[in-house]
Amino acid sequence: MRTALLQSSGRPGSVVENLKVLDEASGRAAAAGAALLAAPEMFLTGYAIGDDIARLAEPADGDSADAIAEIATRHGLAIAYGYPERDGDAVFNSAQLISADGTRLANYRKTHLFGCLERDHFTPGAAPVVQAELDGLRVGIMICYDVEFPENVRAHALAGTDFLVVPTAQMHPFQFVAESVVPVRAFENQMYVAYVNRVGQEGEFEFVGLSTLAGPDGVARTRAGRADELLLADVDPVFLAAARAANPYLKDRRPGLYGSLV
């Protein structure tokens, strides 16, 4: 499955402009044969927008979801994107996957909130594993800081996730996560991992880019620099099956020894 990673911070504070950026990128991705376009954490609104997070938050089935479903249908590819989700009085840092026919396939709420900005504006999610079937692959979703907890990614591996999509707002000085942690997570859990980041200065944060798609062999299939970029890489189920047959990590586990972890 050819996958496009949209490394961009869009236009913080403007949902309308970010939908335009997503539309244009979707057209380019589809023309290059992509079946899925993944956008960063909080792409719909911007990340460092303070109280505008609550003002711009929408339900998972809100107007912006409808607009993105129309973009997905028109270009013929699935779209995963980050946004602030409103559910009653609660606001979640969420990511949603919409299929090429406009169906809402999965909605994930970030479980591990990072820093004061997130803890001040969001409620943590409670479901660690959210998955959907897409083009014969079991696709899982998590967001940024979540992938830094090995238990989180291992839960996906045990639930059969083939391809983990991680919208991200990774900032300086934590670029080692993109460079080192993400490929290791892919290897130790025998899955593909797409880590798609924001880029540039936004408020007090400097987002480092370096978006990547890592394979189950721990090798990055593509890696961005530190500017806006649309990356393309393939997720190969045949290679995934071969890697899982060769790597014994998951079958050599001894869960009876791990009770102290919880």
Side-chain angles (χ1 to χ4, degrees):
M1 181 172 67
R2 179 151 293 181
T3 300
L5 309 184
L6 174 58
Q7 177 167 288
S8 172
S9 288
R11 307 292 182 270
S14 176
V15 171
V16 170
E17 290 302 315
N18 290 327
L19 288 172
K20 291 179 181 177
V21 173
L22 193 64
D23 190 5
E24 187 274 337
S26 296
R28 286 193 287 141
L36 170 65
L37 172 72
E41 180 177 6
M42 292 286 286
F43 183 77
L44 184 65
T45 61
Y47 181 89
I49 58 173
D51 291 340
D52 281 347
I53 289 173
R55 181 178 67 82
L56 296 175
E58 298 184 26
D61 60 354
D63 290 344
S64 292
D66 289 343
I68 293 171
E70 189 279 328
I71 292 170
T73 302
R74 177 157 41 82
H75 293 294
L77 81 172
I79 297 175
Y81 67 99
Y83 75 108
E85 177 194 355
R86 179 169 293 284
D87 185 357
D89 291 333
V91 175
F92 298 91
N93 183 338
S94 295
Q96 183 152 228
L97 174 63
I98 295 178
S99 74
D101 67 5
T103 303
R104 293 174 49 245
L105 295 178
N107 188 70
Y108 171 77
R109 295 167 171 176
K110 190 173 186 178
T111 54
H112 295 74
L113 301 181
F114 178 80
C116 294
L117 183 148
E118 292 191 13
R119 289 192 289 268
D120 287 348
H121 289 93
F122 297 113
T123 297
V129 177
V130 172
Q131 300 168 312
E133 298 296 322
L134 184 66
D135 285 10
L137 292 168
R138 185 168 296 179
V139 177
I141 307 172
M142 62 175 54
I143 299 173
C144 198
Y145 194 38
D146 291 326
V147 81
E148 298 176 42
F149 292 82
E151 302 89 344
N152 253 22
V153 188
R154 181 51 54 86
H156 269 274
L158 297 178
T161 293
D162 300 313
F163 180 23
L164 186 62
V165 178
V166 189
T168 297
Q170 182 65 66
M171 58 200 69
H172 179 80
F174 305 112
Q175 48 267 29
F176 67 89
V177 175
E179 294 169 338
S180 302
V181 174
V182 169
V184 169
R185 290 285 178 269
F187 178 72
E188 68 191 3
N189 291 290
Q190 288 299 288
M191 62 178 64
Y192 284 88
V193 180
Y195 189 78
V196 53
N197 199 10
R198 305 179 69 82
V199 66
Q201 196 73 33
E202 188 179 332
E204 64 183 288
F205 304 113
E206 179 193 347
F207 297 113
V208 299
L210 304 176
S211 298
T212 189
L213 194 152
D217 54 357
V219 175
R221 299 302 190 268
T222 186
R223 187 182 297 283
R226 297 190 178 221
D228 283 16
E229 195 168 345
L230 184 69
L231 302 174
L232 292 162
D234 292 328
V235 174
D236 182 354
V238 174
F239 183 84
L240 177 61
R244 287 173 169 173
N247 186 326
Y249 274 171
L250 296 180
K251 59 178 176 284
D252 284 352
R253 294 173 65 252
R254 296 182 62 193
L257 302 179
Y258 310 149
S260 60
L261 294 178
V262 293

